[in-house]
Amino acid sequence: MTLYTRFAAQLDAILSDLEGDGLLATGLDRRNVAVEPPRDPAHGDLATNAAMVLAKPAGTNPRALAALIAPKLQALDGVTAVEIAGPGFINIRLADDVWRGELRTILAEGGDYGRSDKGTGVRVNIEYVSANPTGPMHMGHCRGAVVGDALANLLAYAGHQVIREYYVNDAGAQVDVLARSVHLRYREALGEAVTVPEGLYPGDYLKPVGAALAGEYGERYREAPEADWLVLFRTRAVAAMMDMIRADLALLGIHHDVFASEAAVQAAGKPAAAEATLRARDLVYDGELEAPKGETSEDWEPVTLPLFRSTRFGDDQDRPIRKSNGQWTYFGADMAYHYQKAEGADQLIDIWGADHAGTVKRIQAAVAALTEGRVPFDVKLIQMVRLLRGGEPVKMSKRSGSFVTLADVVEEVGKDVVRFTMLTRRADAQMDFDFAKVVEASKDNPVFYVQYAHARGRSLHRRAGEAGIDTGGTADLSRLDGEELALVKLAAQFPRIVEAAAATREPHRIAFYLGDLAAAFHALWNRGNDDPLRRFLMVNDAETTRARLALSDSIGQIIRNGLGIMGVAAAEEMA
């Protein structure tokens, strides 16, 4: 139990005592009662809004209720002062030993410090990346892949049961184009001179697939009609592309639990089952679409189609689930796929590119209709990343033919730099990825600054050992003063940051917090440049060194825990 959860539990017990004494109405909703740091550290160490939240439903005023709570808080161990502020906020000041105790908790809990059971084992299916299986991963896929994977780590750390899923779009026209592109490379492997026509995939990555098919089938399909080879070439091509995609994702440390096939969803009759379910609830009907805006009656021929009543769920129009030829629309197939996911999860989260924003409402409507509101569905939209080198746009990859591959980027700057950088801005904000800046060794580069903070702490162990200081045993934390304990106070916020980031599903909050923690650590470390008595390593004062080493270790532990959520390794040393 961390400091904030401990005081929250004690406050809850105080409120129960007030109820038992008849001083507070029973049955009040306490879910919005919080114990958190005050906005201004000068006001104290902790603050609670309990009186503000509960006064109105209790039929009293906040300051009167605060006056009942404050004396009981004052009586708690470690509390040195309690003040009622403004209309009824309660500020709490703690003894320094409370923070020294929290430092020991950080060191004792290690990698589990900040873990939470808030998720209560709720099963969350997170679908992310889901790039079409038509080529290697490119940087257009990277940000969504990292955000989705970090979110999965974050929710698991916060006590959820997480299912990581990838949807393989292997039933659309794009995979037929892939098959034709591979057939061209198959003919090339047989010695034919080929030119990739407009509309086919031009990348060299398809050459090995064509060569493998040529080795296996020889001339058999060289002049054969498309109907003879399309399904075979499509199957082999998709399998080869998925192997490539898995390998590319592995470069980022990303592995999925489930790869769901669109073709398999359709073959299993899932779209028809979804349609039947919705028709039984009068949520699908046969009707005519309105003419698109700008079309005249002469240009538009109405067709009767099965339409989902998405307007009942806030959409601006009802949506067709089948085309006029009887095939499923993309929406119809996607609706069924989400229904399938909902059968094995309590919540659904999708990570989509911002260019799919227009389809969010209709899929959310479909999930709400099919699950009768039992399975919440959230969509996180990811903005584009602009690739630069020294401020100039990056040229495309020769291997891909039209884009910069993820593998090329990871090879140049490393997995950890890519992952951390992708989390340094909100997912819904556009981002520049400048190859020169992301490897820059300066405080303006958050990747470097956080890694350097951890490496500095690790170097302290080595330097203390070289100085002949025994770093074992229990450190005397009374050697830490208020300036040093201020760093502990910031470190102690990590569990709260984790819970808030998980609740809002915003893993970038971890990166922001680590940046603040690293900056505070560096600032304290650099105080020693001007004042030798503030140095972490005091060669002639082993006790103070051991205490400051414990402080440094606690900060390093928080950085490792946070980086672990982000999927980034902590640097042991830096050049």
Side-chain angles (χ1 to χ4, degrees), residues 421-442:
T421 303
M422 291 297 149
L423 295 167
T424 54
R425 298 201 68 185
R426 292 178 56 94
D428 58 2
Q430 291 196 343
M431 166 181 284
D432 287 347
F433 184 99
D434 193 312
F435 285 86
K437 290 185 177 180
V438 297
V439 295
E440 189 177 79
S442 79

Side-chain angles (χ1 to χ4, degrees), residues 397-399 403-413 435:
S397 164
K398 292 180 180 179
R399 177 170 175 263
F403 49 77
V404 177
T405 66
L406 184 151
D408 288 342
V409 176
V410 173
E411 181 180 356
E412 179 169 344
V413 304
F435 285 86

Side-chain angles (χ1 to χ4, degrees), residues 472-506:
T474 302
D476 178 9
L477 299 185
S478 67
R479 299 288 183 120
L480 301 178
D481 61 19
E483 190 174 5
E484 291 157 329
L485 293 178
L487 190 57
V488 179
K489 294 177 184 182
L490 182 56
Q493 292 188 35
F494 180 65
R496 296 182 58 257
I497 298 295
V498 169
E499 289 188 359
T504 57
R505 294 164 176 173
E506 294 179 334

Side-chain angles (χ1 to χ4, degrees), residues 322-340:
R322 286 182 188 265
K323 303 175 185 177
S324 57
N325 62 5
Q327 292 182 341
W328 298 104
T329 61
Y330 186 85
F331 167 68
D334 212 24
M335 173 184 73
Y337 166 59
H338 283 81
Y339 192 25
Q340 174 177 283

Side-chain angles (χ1 to χ4, degrees), residues 18-29:
L18 291 175
E19 286 184 0
D21 293 340
L23 299 174
L24 181 65
T26 61
L28 299 180
D29 184 354

